[in-house]
Amino acid sequence: MKKYIYIISFIALFILPACDFMDEIPTEWHTPEAAFQLETTYERNINQGYAYIRNGYNRINGAFLDAATNDGTATMLNSNIHKLAQGFYNAQSPILNIWNNSYTGIRQTHFTEKYLKEVQLFLNGKTEKDVADIKKEGIAQMWALRALYEFDLLQHYGGYVIIDSYMEISDPRFNTLERSSFETCVNNIVTLCDSAALYLPVKHANFGRMEKGTAMAIKAKTLLYAASALYNRSGNTNPLVGYVNASAVDIENRWKAAAAALNEVINLKNGAVNRYALHANYAALFNATPNQNNEYIVFYATAQGNGLERRQYPPTLSVTSGGGTVPSQQFVDAFTNADGSAYTRASGAAPTYTGRDPRFDMIVGYDGSNYGPRGTIYTRLGDGETNDGLNQVKDFSTITGYYLRKFLNTTINFSVASPGNTYHLFPFIRLADVLLMYAEAMTQAYGFESDPQGYGLTAKQALQMVRTRAGFNAATDQYLAGVTTKDAQLQKIYDERRIELAFEEARYFDLRRWMKTDELSEPIKGMRIDNNAGNLTYTEITVDNQRVFEEKMYFAPIPKNEILVFPALQQNPGW
Amino acid sequence: MSAWLLGGCLFIQPPVSAQQMENHSEDLLDLNFKKVDPDTYNGSSYTIDGEMFRNLPITHLANALTGIVPGFFTRQTSGSVINEGPDYWIRGRRTSSEGVLVLVDGQERSFGSLSTYEIDKITILKDAAAVALYGMRAANGAILVTTRRGNIGKPRIELTAQLASQQPLRVPKPLNAYDYTRLYNEAYLNDNPSTTPDNLPFTDPLLYKNGTNPELYPNMDWLGQYYDTQQLLQRYNLNVSGGTARTRYFVNFGAMAHEGMYNTDKANTYSTNNEISRYNIRSNFEVDVTPTTLLTADVYGWVEKQNRPNNSSIDAFTSMVQTPASAFPAFYVDHGNYKTTTNEKVTSTDGKIIAGSSKYMNPWTQINKAGYGNYNEIYGSFRVKLEQDLKFILPGLKASGDISMDSQMSWVINRTKAFAYYEMRNDSTLVKTGTDGTMSNGVGSRSSNRRLTIDINLSYQQQFDKHNIYAMAGYNQYESADEVSIPARMQGVGGWLGYNYDKRYGIDLMASYYGSHKFAKGKRFGFFPSVAASWTLSNEEFFENLKDMFPFLRLRASIGQVGDHRGIAAHQYLSALEQVGGVYNFGNNMGGVGGYIQSQIANENVTWEKVLIYNIGVEGRILNDRLSFMAEYFRDQRSDIYLVNERIGGLYGVSATVRQNVGSMYSQGIDASLQWSDKIGQVTYNIGGNYSLSRNMVQDFGEADKEHPWLYQKGYPLGLQNGLTVVGFFKEEDFDINGNFADPTIPTHTFGKVQPGDLRYKDLNNDGVIDALDIQPIGAGNTPNHIFALNLGAEYKGFGFTVLFQGAAEISRNISSGGYLALPFYAEGNMFEHQLNYWTPETAATAEYPRLSVNNAAGVNNIRNSDFWIRDADYIRLKTAQIYYNLPDRWFRSGSVLRGVQVYFSGYNLMTWDKLKIVDPEWDPATFPINRNVSIGCTIKI
């Protein structure tokens, strides 16, 4: 009997295993607590908030976004930019799609903000107050970044879904998400910017970080959009795409608010001087070394490279590629004469490439233009024909007769083994943009030459500042001669924006917010030059006559997958 | 060949008759914790006896089950000797993550390396009732293997020797050098039509044909010279078993050796052939500690070693297939006067200068001059089980405890050598590349694993009058650890309540409450119930008159819900951050900075896949137990399948892939078998067959909205291949003089520039472009929908044979998946005889392959998956055949040392009939060809 008891107990011993038999978890995985606690790693989480800022160079299938306006087109025949410009897009394949990326960025900012607040950070040699300040600045960077992502969404889609906290994917709130009204979104961005500006430094030692001026500039641009015609249509009943029942007084107040915000950016002081100043040389601005660049306010930072030159140089200079986004004849005709007077060219007449706006040479590569150390390029056909000529090499040669020279550093030389690298920081908002926006807001709010609030600059003076930097002499500039009505003054400001901010994604959105969309369905024209033993004949050609603009295209469609996954999400009208 | 030299050995073995091929009521079904009478067991299962396949010349046990078990779907993709069992599914492919639970004596182990002589029975469990006690582990079915035990009696010795010849089936045949060079030129001309004759890659193909200078213009038959088409495989086995009333034992020693597939020169002191050897030892020991206590102690292990030329067993074969006949000879004979281009004299140690080029590997060099590697594996296991009969407490009550521990280790020793190779410029100059090196010595690819299983059981069985009651409760835990991961652990309790009235009505309730470490605390355990019932009509009163005709007829049905944890990574409920570099740039020099991304997004609700299985069946034996039949229908519904959820919208803002339990699918099918065995005079014979059908359908796989219905997996069977639809070959009149399409309605082919003779595809969505949107499901999938088999056997006075035909239908193979089988010169490779019927303007009407091209590589127009390359792979094989002779009993009078002797011939994969023709229908061209094994053997019983 005893034997059996021993045997039974021996068997029962097997039932010893603990109830926590399966509790072991991989403790080596990094948890937020570990990531935010250590001095060596906490900053990575802040950096990650920046990781979703998008580039603007070659953003749509290798082409600039403005190639879908009448400013230009792209040489790559298969690029989706053509579909975008010709209206062959829809919610299923929207082509212009920043939705996913922006929300990934927004989520990351919430994640960093949440854990910066919650997790205790240990830094050597810093007091508790120092640590608190560092955390506050980190959180302020997150707010500013969130404002940037949200502005991008506002610009593309109108009212968007405001995500105001960090949510795990199982959070039930995801099921009821819907888009907020345009008004709420604008207010949200403004609040974020105001809060961020309180804690951000005026100038950060690390170029590229969010600064006070960055937050203020985002706020100012948002307010400018909020005052624009597209979002204040009379009779608008859809709160997602603008203000509902905006009265003339409301609109005027919005312009005033925009002017005030823009003024704050212009007059932001770094010590005794203004934080931001126009760079001396327009052409060199876009490749300037960061420390010398005080004009950029909101931009995309990336390492040096030469990919943009590779893509945009004429084929003889690029060797393996070339062309890319190219300007149209209309854009070329939009440059004024050297004295600022309007340039007119009779239909079918030969264009003049000399004696034009000083920026013409810096922006456009034309037949016989000088690419600095790279020599002269010709787009003519016939005698002296090269691969740079019209339609010579598929996907690489110009299809309009012009190349885009802006943003390129002509010291980059692809015929040697080490072509060199340069800076290509894409500007979202720079001081020239702010000045022109200021001119627009002031004209709309108070008038072209009045400054009742005492900001220190009238609209006209702001406009002149930009032109002076461009190379015009303020005293002899004919640009504003005989321009007296408000509409004409605004048109002059619009024209200046077209040239100054060419291919910086300003035109695409500007034409929409001004509701001047006839130009978006204009056929794209080019110029064919034939050289016959020294005789040049100029023939105007139509490059793309399938440009289309419909009312629904004021806003991009929300990707179809989102509408299907989130039942409460509303699609933009017409899509 | 020498493989066939063997004197007569005498082998004794009871004849493998039909009676062992079916579930016979005298044999008990061993479920490891209980032995059940198959006639009253209500789950769906099938058992085969080890004696059936003991003599088969197979090297992986799963191959023994093909064609014999209804519902066991297999696909043998590779013919390598070691580690290459077939892929197998029980009742077809039922879910997206595959895997069958294999238990050997109650412990989850791989069973492929066990010797066939150790196995007593293999039982396949198929429906929910049979696997309910395993919780989440056996939703796709289970295979239970039990090993042999000793019986009471004086020691019995069984000694077996078997020699097999392994012959690879359907090895591709490369072209000879003349045809290769001539056709390469033709292909080059197709791609570059303006080439002049003296600029062609091979200026004079005829030089390769006339053999005047075989070193400069070689014509090598690599496969013919260096690949052995009759490989020797040897198996030896010795077992001793016996016992007394108190102790019983079964001890087995097995050895298997394969001589290697290559014809090496054997000039080195070490072997450079891919030889394999494996040794198994087992000792199963039982002791009656007390008359009511049984102690079982099993110890077993095996050791395996593979030798590999140049530390790879397959690279040499691949280069024999892919290196053209014209590339270079195996070596240059050293006439003492060779100089390199830098004017150094070339020397060689054995008169052979290594030939080679940067484009192709030299097979001879790989199997002779590149050193070797060794793969070693050791497996050790022991098990102790204590069973106590508690009839002193309550008659019919039993308890048992079982603990098994396994340990496995493997590593690779690398002893390769670098070598310089030479290309002949003319008969005195060679171009040298590389340097000769000494042999290295390193170890790598280490892996180790240990497992532990504990089982405790309490059961009660009693018969009251006509009522038979069975109850069982058990606890089980399992742990498996490799080097770095958190060990996989599972734990659960199970219960079984069975009731049988008068052997007529039976009902079983089985359930388990089982958990896995993969899930979050509090969400780990699930309850998995099932119920099975049966009605044995043959024991009914109204059946009395028919009892002679129908000794046994039973209807069975079961329904149950089990879980499936396969395919779900552990700890998905936690989130993980991962450091990454270069996420943004700051500072004057725009230096990159690092960031932290969420590499795993926490999925707090992660859970197991739910499986609902219905099963109904009928089985019976009629005509004096001579004819037995079985037919079953099952339906398997899966939900909460864990897979990538494409419907996570951008608003979630997650950058990592999100996997959730969003999938669902179902499958249904039939298993049926019929078996007849009888005796005419002194001849016993049997004939029978089985058939299984399994079809599945995807209901929801978490797919995002797609442009066209054919782009979904939803609504189609799982595992279908997809591809473009081919309209035909492009004709010359389809193009204009500039090489563009003459007819503007021909859609743009975006995969490359097309010419006459290329494949022309159909534009399914009429958007004018052939691209990813025109890809649709094609064919029947690469797992068979139908499998069937036919077995025959007979015996007369000790002399007998058995034959098994096995086949599969509704199965497709994609010929283009390896590339080189479909297109000549693929990735600068070889061209084969089966590709000779290629397109030219003259052969356009009957061509089987597109036009020749030297640019064939991954992604080109002609290699795209399409219905041109996805073909029917239905087949029927003469799978096994055995002819044996038992020496007459009268030769072995009592008192003589020998008890019996048998000789036999046994073959595997003997013949194949199929539509595919080019290649074996099951073979994956990236591995060794499938083999036919033919063997002779004998057994002596002492």
Side-chain angles (χ1 to χ4, degrees):
Chain A
M1 190 59 186
K2 244 183 163 184
K3 265 192 293 197
Y4 299 131
I5 297 192
Y6 287 140
I7 290 164
I8 293 167
S9 354
F10 176 64
I11 293 175
L13 263 179
F14 284 104
I15 314 189
L16 264 190
C19 295
D20 53 3
F21 174 59
M22 296 191 286
D23 281 350
E24 199 177 344
I25 55 171
T27 40
E28 79 278 6
W29 285 8
H30 294 214
T31 58
E33 288 66 36
F36 282 82
Q37 215 174 54
L38 298 178
E39 184 168 2
T40 44
T41 58
Y42 82 95
E43 249 198 311
R44 283 172 165 257
N45 298 290
I46 300 177
N47 296 341
Q48 191 65 34
Y50 289 82
Y52 305 98
I53 301 180
R54 59 168 179 83
N55 200 349
Y57 292 130
N58 297 343
R59 132 141 115 119
I60 311 282
N61 230 198
F64 289 62
L65 182 61
D66 283 341
T69 66
N70 62 347
D71 276 359
T73 180
T75 60
M76 300 81 75
L77 300 182
N78 285 332
S79 170
N80 280 337
I81 192 70
H82 300 296
K83 286 195 186 153
L84 185 63
Q86 293 166 358
F88 291 123
Y89 62 104
N90 51 29
Q92 190 105 28
S93 29
I95 299 180
L96 198 57
N97 189 349
I98 51 123
W99 186 271
N100 287 12
N101 196 58
S102 302
Y103 280 103
T104 312
I106 290 173
R107 181 189 164 96
Q108 180 64 46
T109 60
H110 280 301
F111 179 81
T112 305
E113 180 184 342
K114 172 180 153 106
Y115 285 106
L116 272 178
K117 283 186 190 147
E118 286 177 7
V119 177
Q120 208 179 0
L121 177 61
F122 297 98
L123 294 176
N124 268 328
K126 299 259 193 288
T127 66
E128 256 190 52
K129 181 173 182 315
D130 289 338
V131 171
D133 284 342
I134 288 174
K135 281 194 177 183
K136 270 215 189 72
E137 199 207 309
I139 294 174
Q141 289 183 54
M142 293 300 114
W143 287 337
L145 284 166
R146 197 176 315 148
L148 180 59
Y149 294 129
E150 291 198 8
F151 175 69
D152 215 8
L153 285 168
L154 186 78
Q155 216 183 23
H156 285 77
Y157 301 105
Y160 51 87
V161 177
I162 297 182
I163 307 268
D164 54 10
S165 62
Y166 177 72
M167 295 192 274
E168 296 287 358
I169 53 173
S170 50
D171 197 310
R173 285 177 287 174
F174 273 116
N175 298 334
T176 51
L177 287 176
E178 51 174 31
R179 294 167 65 185
S180 302
S181 70
F182 183 84
E183 181 172 1
T184 317
C185 293
V186 167
N187 294 342
N188 195 46
I189 297 176
V190 169
T191 315
L192 282 170
C193 291
D194 281 338
S195 320
L198 289 175
Y199 299 105
L200 290 172
V202 172
K203 184 164 174 140
H204 202 290
N206 240 329
F207 187 81
R209 294 267 176 198
M210 288 287 150
E211 298 171 352
K212 195 192 282 288
T214 324
M216 292 163 70
I218 297 171
K219 166 184 168 180
K221 192 156 183 178
T222 309
L223 288 176
L224 182 85
Y225 270 58
S228 300
L230 175 62
Y231 307 106
N232 290 289
R233 285 179 279 185
S234 69
N236 177 37
T237 49
N238 186 344
L240 297 177
V241 295
Y243 291 97
V244 173
N245 294 329
S247 69
V249 174
D250 290 330
I251 297 174
E252 195 181 309
N253 285 338
R254 291 186 189 130
W255 285 118
K256 289 182 180 164
L262 286 158
N263 170 59
E264 282 186 16
V265 177
I266 296 169
N267 286 321
L268 180 67
K269 295 281 184 250
N270 183 13
V273 298
N274 277 349
R275 166 70 180 88
Y276 300 110
L278 292 172
H279 193 88
N281 183 330
Y282 182 81
L285 165 65
F286 302 101
N287 307 116
T289 353
N291 280 353
Q292 321 243 304
N293 191 339
N294 288 317
E295 183 172 339
Y296 275 22
I297 308 176
V298 182
F299 53 93
Y300 172 70
T302 185
Q304 293 187 64
N306 55 29
L308 194 62
E309 279 77 13
R310 177 76 74 182
R311 177 73 261 180
Q312 294 290 120
Y313 265 175
T316 54
L317 297 181
S318 164
V319 180
T320 53
S321 182
T325 303
V326 290
S328 61
Q329 183 60 44
Q330 300 98 304
F331 178 71
V332 168
D333 288 341
F335 285 83
T336 64
N337 292 316
D339 63 357
S341 58
Y343 169 85
T344 49
R345 179 179 70 85
S347 164
T352 349
Y353 298 136
T354 47
R356 306 285 294 274
D357 183 325
R359 292 169 291 194
F360 183 69
D361 276 352
M362 305 180 205
I363 295 180
V364 180
Y366 50 87
D367 181 58
S369 71
N370 186 315
Y371 267 60
R374 303 275 67 77
T376 316
I377 61 129
Y378 296 96
T379 64
R380 62 184 63 168
L381 304 173
D383 298 340
E385 185 178 291
T386 61
N387 277 345
D388 298 337
L390 184 68
N391 290 331
Q392 286 309 294
V393 181
K394 178 167 165 281
D395 284 348
F396 299 148
S397 298
T398 177
I399 57 177
T400 58
Y402 300 102
Y403 290 95
L404 184 63
R405 190 172 158 172
K406 187 176 177 184
F407 309 120
L408 304 181
N409 185 341
T410 50
T411 59
I412 306 284
N413 182 359
F414 289 109
S415 56
V416 299
S418 297
N421 289 319
T422 185
Y423 292 100
H424 290 121
L425 310 185
F426 184 81
F428 290 114
I429 306 177
R430 57 187 175 93
L431 185 61
D433 189 5
V434 172
L435 287 168
L436 290 172
M437 287 199 279
Y438 178 78
E440 185 182 338
M442 289 292 279
T443 311
Q444 291 276 21
Y446 307 113
F448 195 52
E449 295 190 67
S450 32
D451 180 18
Q453 301 292 334
Y455 293 139
L457 270 182
T458 63
K460 181 173 179 180
Q461 286 167 333
L463 178 59
Q464 206 58 54
M465 273 177 78
V466 173
R467 291 184 64 78
T468 304
R469 188 274 292 274
F472 291 98
N473 187 325
T476 57
D477 194 2
Q478 294 299 303
Y479 190 61
L480 296 167
V483 172
T484 47
T485 61
K486 180 171 164 186
D487 283 339
Q489 288 156 347
L490 283 172
Q491 188 58 46
K492 283 295 179 190
I493 297 175
Y494 296 164
D495 291 343
E496 187 62 26
R497 276 183 80 81
R498 183 182 190 178
I499 304 297
E500 173 70 24
L501 305 172
F503 295 99
E504 291 177 36
E505 297 200 358
R507 186 112 177 114
Y508 186 89
F509 295 110
D510 281 344
L511 285 176
R512 283 165 166 79
R513 70 181 176 86
W514 298 324
M515 299 184 74
K516 289 189 178 302
T517 49
D518 302 336
E519 305 191 37
L520 287 172
S521 38
E522 236 175 58
I524 301 294
K525 303 265 190 230
M527 187 60 64
R528 181 195 158 108
I529 308 173
D530 289 290
N531 183 11
N532 207 333
N535 286 338
L536 297 175
T537 35
Y538 294 85
T539 329
E540 196 171 294
I541 55 169
T542 307
V543 177
D544 181 358
N545 60 358
Q546 292 181 56
R547 296 280 170 120
V548 158
F549 182 81
E550 295 166 32
E551 174 148 356
K552 64 185 181 184
M553 295 179 191
Y554 276 122
F555 299 97
I558 312 274
K560 181 130 180 255
N561 196 34
E562 302 299 305
I563 307 289
L564 290 175
V565 174
F566 300 101
L569 207 57
Q570 310 93 311
Q571 180 57 277
N572 271 331
W575 292 109
Chain B
M1 294 185 72
S2 58
W4 300 96
L5 287 180
L6 196 65
C9 282
L10 303 177
F11 183 111
I12 227 184
Q13 186 92 301
V16 178
S17 71
Q19 296 204 300
Q20 267 117 351
M21 285 177 132
E22 33 145 311
N23 286 336
H24 196 278
S25 54
E26 286 170 56
D27 293 25
L28 295 177
L29 190 71
D30 192 339
L31 293 174
N32 198 51
F33 48 80
K34 174 177 172 22
K35 288 191 174 36
V36 283
D37 178 355
D39 280 355
T40 58
Y41 181 59
N42 293 330
S44 169
S45 71
Y46 195 91
T47 303
I48 59 175
D49 194 291
E51 288 171 351
M52 276 201 59
F53 51 80
R54 221 154 263 167
N55 295 336
L56 282 182
I58 53 177
T59 50
H60 191 289
L61 263 188
N63 281 324
L65 304 174
T66 309
I68 300 179
V69 180
F72 195 76
F73 289 68
T74 58
R75 187 181 69 212
Q76 171 89 43
T77 53
S78 152
S80 146
V81 175
I82 285 268
N83 297 335
E84 298 300 338
D87 300 328
Y88 55 86
W89 305 266
I90 294 180
R91 286 187 162 165
R93 205 154 167 215
R94 296 188 258 155
T95 183
S96 58
S97 56
E98 303 164 347
V100 166
L101 177 67
V102 178
L103 296 176
V104 179
D105 290 335
Q107 160 78 297
E108 185 168 348
R109 304 184 170 115
S110 65
F111 74 124
S113 302
L114 292 174
S115 161
T116 52
Y117 294 93
E118 301 176 77
I119 310 298
D120 182 22
K121 288 197 200 333
I122 298 184
T123 301
I124 318 294
L125 300 179
K126 301 189 228 173
D127 73 345
V131 303
L133 294 166
Y134 299 106
M136 295 182 214
R137 299 166 77 186
N140 298 331
I143 298 179
L144 305 183
V145 179
T146 44
T147 52
R148 288 163 76 181
R149 312 255 143 217
N151 294 314
I152 299 178
K154 63 184 191 71
R156 289 214 276 267
I157 300 176
E158 206 175 84
L159 178 63
T160 307
Q162 180 179 40
L163 286 184
S165 163
Q166 194 163 283
Q167 300 149 16
L169 296 174
R170 295 203 195 157
V171 182
K173 297 196 198 37
L175 293 179
N176 63 54
Y178 167 63
D179 284 329
Y180 174 86
T181 49
R182 177 173 62 85
L183 295 178
Y184 192 90
N185 279 349
E186 196 176 313
Y188 190 86
L189 209 52
N190 272 344
D191 292 327
N192 308 288
S194 52
T195 321
T196 53
D198 36 322
N199 283 337
L200 287 171
F202 296 100
T203 40
D204 194 354
L206 276 170
L207 289 171
Y208 292 93
K209 186 172 184 177
N210 57 28
T212 43
N213 191 345
E215 288 197 336
L216 197 50
Y217 302 105
N219 183 6
M220 294 296 298
D221 182 6
W222 299 107
L223 284 167
Q225 268 187 279
Y226 297 109
Y227 184 64
D228 208 342
T229 50
Q230 303 244 44
Q231 303 147 13
L232 176 64
L233 174 69
Q234 304 172 61
R235 294 168 75 216
Y236 302 98
N237 203 81
L238 168 68
N239 61 55
V240 182
S241 69
T244 66
R246 235 86 203 203
T247 66
R248 291 160 296 283
Y249 56 90
F250 173 82
V251 179
N252 191 73
F253 302 93
M256 186 203 73
H258 186 273
E259 67 166 357
M261 307 170 181
Y262 301 120
N263 280 336
T264 64
D265 286 356
K266 300 194 177 50
N268 298 308
T269 50
Y270 48 86
S271 165
T272 49
N273 205 344
N274 56 347
E275 304 154 346
I276 297 174
S277 58
R278 188 199 289 155
Y279 303 95
N280 302 57
I281 291 188
R282 173 179 289 276
S283 163
N284 287 355
F285 189 69
E286 291 179 342
V287 179
D288 286 320
V289 176
T290 73
T292 52
T293 314
L294 178 64
L295 172 70
T296 308
D298 296 345
V299 176
Y300 94 94
W302 44 268
V303 171
E304 188 172 297
K305 179 169 156 178
Q306 269 185 58
N307 199 55
R308 303 162 162 179
N310 199 11
N311 206 17
S312 161
S313 47
I314 192 157
D315 281 354
F317 174 75
T318 309
S319 62
M320 286 177 201
V321 170
Q322 285 286 47
T323 303
S326 60
F328 35 70
F331 51 83
Y332 299 114
V333 174
D334 189 359
H335 55 46
N337 293 329
Y338 280 116
K339 290 204 174 359
T340 67
T341 45
T342 52
N343 232 0
E344 291 162 13
K345 181 163 168 14
V346 177
T347 51
S348 65
T349 47
D350 52 357
K352 297 178 179 164
I353 300 175
I354 296 174
S357 82
S358 53
K359 252 186 173 183
Y360 303 108
M361 288 295 306
N362 182 337
W364 176 83
T365 315
Q366 280 191 307
I367 59 174
N368 285 299
K369 295 286 184 187
Y372 68 101
N374 257 333
Y375 168 85
N376 300 283
E377 186 171 352
I378 293 183
Y379 199 101
S381 140
F382 83 83
R383 169 199 191 205
V384 170
K385 180 173 181 179
L386 200 58
E387 292 165 73
Q388 174 67 51
D389 191 336
L390 298 168
K391 60 186 183 215
F392 54 88
I393 300 178
L394 182 64
L397 189 66
K398 294 194 173 113
S400 72
D402 184 339
I403 182 164
S404 302
M405 288 205 234
D406 285 32
S407 172
Q408 181 253 344
M409 228 169 34
S410 71
W411 66 96
V412 174
I413 303 176
N414 184 341
R415 296 213 169 102
T416 50
K417 257 189 348 176
F419 51 87
Y421 61 84
Y422 298 85
E423 291 171 78
M424 183 184 262
R425 183 71 67 75
N426 54 51
D427 51 5
S428 59
T429 317
L430 302 172
V431 179
K432 178 179 180 182
T433 312
T435 40
D436 291 309
T438 52
M439 185 177 269
S440 64
N441 186 9
V443 65
S445 301
R446 286 189 220 250
S447 102
S448 58
N449 181 276
R450 64 167 172 80
R451 295 174 196 222
L452 175 67
T453 297
I454 297 180
D455 261 311
I456 301 171
N457 227 291
L458 192 64
S459 70
Y460 173 74
Q461 169 141 36
Q462 195 56 264
Q463 178 104 22
F464 305 105
D465 215 16
K466 288 190 181 178
H467 309 272
N468 188 312
I469 297 181
Y470 176 74
M472 185 211 83
Y475 167 81
N476 165 274
Q477 75 175 52
Y478 168 72
E479 176 179 314
S480 163
D482 64 11
E483 285 114 347
V484 287
S485 322
I486 303 289
R489 294 190 174 106
M490 279 176 258
Q491 199 182 26
V493 293
W496 181 350
L497 232 73
Y499 171 73
N500 187 298
Y501 177 72
D502 196 23
K503 290 213 161 164
R504 276 188 282 154
Y505 311 108
I507 182 163
D508 287 297
L509 297 161
M510 283 97 123
S512 62
Y513 183 67
Y514 217 90
S516 161
H517 83 298
K518 291 181 176 180
F519 309 109
K521 200 171 163 91
K523 295 184 183 156
R524 280 188 188 132
F525 283 86
F527 181 64
F528 305 110
S530 78
V531 69
S534 72
W535 178 25
T536 310
L537 287 113
S538 48
N539 289 340
E540 288 284 359
E541 277 184 29
F542 61 76
F543 221 77
E544 273 299 323
N545 304 333
L546 297 169
K547 198 87 189 229
D548 292 336
M549 278 274 285
F550 275 89
F552 182 68
L553 183 63
R554 182 160 83 126
L555 297 172
R556 263 193 289 117
S558 77
I559 175 173
Q561 167 147 42
V562 290
D564 192 351
H565 74 104
R566 287 175 204 274
I568 303 175
H571 313 297
Q572 294 289 297
Y573 52 93
L574 296 171
S575 59
L577 292 175
E578 194 180 297
Q579 295 194 25
V580 288
V583 297
Y584 202 65
N585 302 75
F586 293 119
N588 187 43
N589 53 359
M590 287 281 114
V593 293
Y596 247 121
I597 56 165
Q598 279 191 301
S599 56
Q600 181 167 296
I601 312 283
N603 178 2
E604 288 154 1
N605 295 328
V606 63
T607 183
W608 52 88
E609 187 176 313
K610 317 276 187 296
V611 185
L612 185 64
I613 307 181
Y614 310 84
N615 191 77
I616 56 171
V618 61
E619 59 190 3
R621 294 187 292 275
I622 57 177
L623 302 173
N624 271 340
D625 279 358
R626 283 180 293 168
L627 181 67
S628 66
F629 62 91
M630 180 272 290
E632 287 185 28
Y633 165 80
F634 76 90
R635 189 187 157 101
D636 176 317
Q637 173 73 48
R638 304 262 166 166
S639 50
D640 282 352
I641 302 179
Y642 189 77
L643 25 79
V644 177
N645 188 355
E646 292 180 16
R647 292 193 291 259
I648 293 289
L651 276 179
Y652 284 96
V654 294
S655 42
T657 321
V658 174
R659 288 189 169 79
Q660 294 177 313
N661 299 90
V662 290
S664 62
M665 66 179 282
Y666 70 87
S667 55
Q668 55 188 354
I670 297 171
D671 295 337
S673 79
L674 198 64
Q675 197 72 29
W676 168 269
S677 67
D678 197 7
K679 198 169 161 129
I680 298 180
Q682 293 201 31
V683 177
T684 56
Y685 68 96
N686 57 271
I687 177 169
N690 62 56
Y691 166 76
S692 305
L693 163 70
S694 170
R695 285 196 201 284
N696 58 37
M697 176 72 63
V698 172
Q699 289 168 310
D700 181 4
F701 260 21
E703 294 171 290
D705 197 46
K706 297 196 199 289
E707 292 92 333
H708 306 285
W710 57 79
L711 296 174
Y712 289 95
Q713 284 187 291
K714 178 169 77 167
Y716 290 98
L718 176 66
L720 282 191
Q721 292 125 338
N722 50 25
L724 300 161
T725 311
V726 168
V727 173
F729 294 110
F730 274 110
K731 305 197 258 298
E732 289 179 302
E733 46 269 22
D734 290 327
F735 295 87
D736 62 21
I737 37 168
N738 293 334
N740 301 319
F741 291 138
D743 179 359
T745 62
I746 298 180
T748 318
H749 283 52
T750 56
F751 305 117
K753 186 146 181 21
V754 290
Q755 285 178 250
D758 282 336
L759 290 172
R760 176 174 169 177
Y761 299 112
K762 184 167 173 201
D763 185 8
L764 285 179
N765 59 353
N766 289 322
D767 63 353
V769 180
I770 304 289
D771 59 4
L773 296 176
D774 299 303
I775 292 180
Q776 66 173 341
I778 294 177
N782 57 7
T783 55
N785 284 346
H786 309 263
I787 56 169
F788 44 86
L790 174 71
N791 61 67
L792 302 160
E795 189 178 309
Y796 172 67
K797 287 193 178 177
F799 177 80
F801 75 92
T802 64
V803 160
L804 176 70
F805 290 89
Q806 179 256 340
E810 264 188 59
I811 173 173
S812 303
R813 269 293 302 282
N814 184 0
I815 302 292
S816 68
S817 67
Y820 72 87
L821 279 182
L823 292 185
F825 313 122
Y826 185 84
E828 293 282 353
N830 218 339
M831 181 168 172
F832 303 92
E833 287 182 11
H834 68 265
Q835 296 165 334
L836 283 172
N837 188 4
Y838 54 87
W839 189 98
T840 62
E842 296 79 35
T843 63
T846 54
E848 287 174 351
Y849 291 88
R851 66 165 177 97
L852 291 177
S853 163
V854 293
N855 295 327
N856 286 331
V860 297
N861 187 63
N862 294 341
I863 200 65
R864 297 269 150 183
N865 285 355
S866 65
D867 59 354
F868 187 84
W869 300 117
I870 295 176
R871 302 188 181 171
D872 270 343
D874 301 359
Y875 66 87
I876 296 179
R877 290 195 203 273
L878 172 55
K879 191 76 177 173
T880 66
Q882 296 187 66
I883 302 175
Y884 57 86
Y885 179 57
N886 301 312
L887 265 60
D889 285 342
R890 64 176 188 277
W891 289 28
F892 309 102
R893 273 174 261 280
S894 62
S896 69
V897 176
L898 297 173
R899 286 183 296 121
V901 159
Q902 185 188 77
V903 282
Y904 63 91
F905 287 87
S906 176
Y908 191 79
N909 271 348
L910 294 166
M911 290 171 78
T912 309
W913 298 275
D914 67 316
K915 294 183 203 163
L916 208 53
K917 304 271 184 261
I918 306 165
V919 78
D920 189 283
E922 291 184 300
W923 181 44
D924 172 2
T927 61
F928 283 112
I930 297 181
N931 296 306
R932 164 197 301 141
N933 289 11
V934 185
S935 71
I936 59 171
C938 69
T939 304
I940 303 175
K941 254 200 182 171
I942 299 174

